[in-house]
Amino acid sequence: ADAPETIFVERRDRVGLITLHRPKSLNALNRQLAREVLEALKAFDADDNVGAIVITGSARAFAAGADIEEMANLTFAEFYCDDIFAPWDELRSVSKPIIAAVGGYALGGGCELALMCDFIIAAEDAQFGQPEIKLGILPGIGGSQRLAKAVGKAVAMDLILTGRTIDVHEAKAVGMVARVVPSNELLQTALEAAHTIAGYNCPAVRMAKEAVNVAFEASLTEGMRHERRLFQAAFATEGQKEGMHAFIAKRAPVFRHR
Ligand code: CAA
């Protein structure tokens, strides 16, 4: 594949790092960027040397939304037939944890991308919002669904209908954001969290992610059944034996990454 032009892709130890890089448009999510992010994610998901993934932007913007210039003249038929946002749906098939490290603006599609990740670590200066309504449209890559599930109806309606932006403390208070850190510690904190995750029993990590995601799709009965099967399946992994025997022997576990 050609080298990506809208993102930087690198590996730090067992962490895959994707940095959005369209500085002239505050990392607006155009079609090329969507394609390149998904290609990078799939490559990391398939790479045994990677245990967790971080997506970040610049200090000024995680991403200021879908690319308005690219979209402005599109017709219904073009959007519908080309299903232009379809690549973003594929992010759900990534089985390794993805952390969004958010500084600056996370607006529209940028906020939605952050919400698509498994959790968000945000800098003090992060700002979140779904301003699509001001452009005569509405969220299009999952915002209405994921925001409602993440923060409940009242806050989701407020943000999506008024288009107002919230600061990181409000985002933390409503449960969108897992951790708030000083801006200069953002990437380091996210990489450390990802590194910690990447050090655990890889199948158990994927199962844990799968189990939590089932909570958003299934009834409690179905979700409990799913969790119990995964829990039982964890006993078929080498990592479970290692983790428990290491505990009993009072030594640190060493997980092999399969
Ligand atoms: N698409 C394309 N270009 C964008 C952009 C976007 N979403 N956001 C910012 N830019 C561009 C600006 O046009 C500007 O370009 P020029 O320098 O060539 O003029 C450059 O990035 C810097 O932006 P500003 O000069 O506007 O910077 P600012 O600091 O004054 O304001 C901002 C920052 C508040 C984020 C403002 O840029 C803004 O409101 N951006 C649009 C946010 C938005 O509406 N996002 C939703 C998009 S629709 C969507 O995302 C649909 C979906 O659900 C997927």
Side-chain angles (χ1 to χ4, degrees):
D2 293 337
E5 295 171 332
T6 64
I7 58 174
F8 297 118
V9 182
E10 61 198 290
R11 191 158 61 77
R12 308 259 183 108
D13 292 324
R14 292 185 38 75
V15 176
L17 174 62
I18 297 174
T19 306
L20 310 180
H21 186 69
R22 295 189 69 216
K24 289 186 185 139
S25 60
L26 302 182
N27 294 331
L29 311 172
N30 66 0
R31 282 185 253 195
Q32 182 182 1
L33 182 141
R35 194 173 62 241
E36 291 178 350
V37 168
L38 267 297
E39 273 171 20
L41 286 172
K42 285 178 187 173
F44 282 147
D45 212 28
D47 185 347
D48 279 347
N49 296 310
V50 170
I53 300 161
V54 172
I55 301 181
T56 195
S58 66
R60 200 166 156 222
F62 178 71
D67 191 318
I68 298 168
E69 240 174 83
E70 188 185 71
M71 288 187 295
N73 291 319
L74 288 178
T75 63
F76 166 78
E78 284 168 317
F79 239 112
Y80 184 79
C81 296
D82 296 346
D83 201 358
I84 285 165
F85 288 158
W88 295 115
D89 299 340
E90 294 170 42
L91 192 142
R92 295 173 67 192
S93 69
V94 175
S95 67
K96 292 173 186 170
I98 307 172
I99 300 172
V102 176
Y105 296 111
L107 300 178
C111 186
E112 293 171 283
L113 172 57
L115 288 166
M116 268 179 238
C117 296
D118 296 307
F119 63 96
I120 299 172
I121 298 180
E124 286 280 356
D125 67 353
Q127 294 187 50
F128 297 85
Q130 298 289 163
E132 288 91 341
I133 200 75
K134 297 181 188 173
L135 299 167
I137 56 167
L138 65 156
I141 52 175
S144 64
Q145 304 306 299
R146 289 200 182 87
L147 200 56
K149 290 195 153 109
V151 303
K153 178 176 168 179
V155 176
M157 286 287 191
D158 179 6
L159 295 186
I160 289 169
L161 294 177
T162 68
R164 82 184 174 93
T165 295
I166 57 174
D167 68 18
V168 78
H169 301 292
E170 195 171 347
K172 175 79 169 68
V174 298
M176 279 175 79
V177 163
R179 303 190 212 174
V180 181
V181 297
S183 303
N184 61 0
E185 292 169 21
L186 175 67
L187 186 59
Q188 191 53 31
T189 307
L191 287 172
E192 277 169 17
H195 186 73
T196 299
I197 293 166
Y200 294 136
N201 181 22
C202 179
V205 167
R206 294 190 187 196
M207 287 175 193
K209 166 168 169 164
E210 182 182 327
V212 174
N213 279 330
V214 171
F216 295 100
E217 308 267 358
S219 66
L220 182 61
T221 303
E222 278 306 311
M224 292 294 292
R225 202 197 319 274
H226 200 107
E227 182 199 71
R228 192 62 44 81
R229 288 292 170 271
L230 288 171
F231 183 84
Q232 291 157 346
F235 286 74
T237 69
E238 213 183 286
Q240 174 270 325
K241 297 289 174 289
E242 169 61 13
M244 292 194 175
H245 289 140
F247 177 84
I248 290 163
K250 302 191 188 302
R251 63 170 173 81
V254 183
F255 294 114
R256 296 208 318 186
H257 299 302
R258 272 287 324 151

